[in-house]
Amino acid sequence: MKLSEKAEEILESLWMLVEEEGLNFVDMEKMDVPEEDDAYGELTRMALIEIRDGRIYLRPEGKEEGRKIVRR
């Protein structure tokens, strides 16, 4: 699976917040990327994240892909 650079940056940030800080979700307000950015749509279409009620949830597939990105 090939993600855009912006989508990879978002996934990396989400992974770090979820895994390192022990969060179940991340509020959209904590992200440096506006909610309207197309990269969120890309991540949603690939079933890596879910966005509900202004919160971003990493799906299991997103956690795995985020881990791979961080390790690179």
Side-chain angles (χ1 to χ4, degrees):
M1 127 181 30
K2 180 64 179 151
L3 295 171
S4 67
E5 186 174 327
K6 186 71 159 196
E8 283 190 357
E9 290 172 9
I10 290 171
L11 199 56
E12 178 180 5
S13 295
L14 289 170
W15 187 89
M16 292 175 72
L17 287 168
V18 168
E19 294 295 318
E20 293 180 358
E21 296 185 21
L23 302 173
N24 292 325
F25 61 86
V26 176
D27 286 318
M28 288 295 293
E29 299 166 350
K30 282 191 170 186
M31 299 302 292
D32 292 334
V33 180
E35 188 172 351
E36 301 79 28
D37 196 291
D38 290 338
Y40 289 118
E42 178 182 353
L43 292 167
T44 301
R45 282 188 303 279
M46 296 181 89
L48 299 175
I49 66 169
E50 290 180 28
I51 299 176
R52 296 188 312 259
D53 302 322
R55 295 176 174 170
I56 307 170
Y57 297 84
L58 267 179
R59 295 176 45 87
E61 299 86 348
K63 285 183 181 181
E64 179 63 25
E65 188 64 25
R67 184 185 61 76
K68 289 177 185 176
I69 291 168
V70 169
R71 288 191 173 200
R72 278 189 245 146

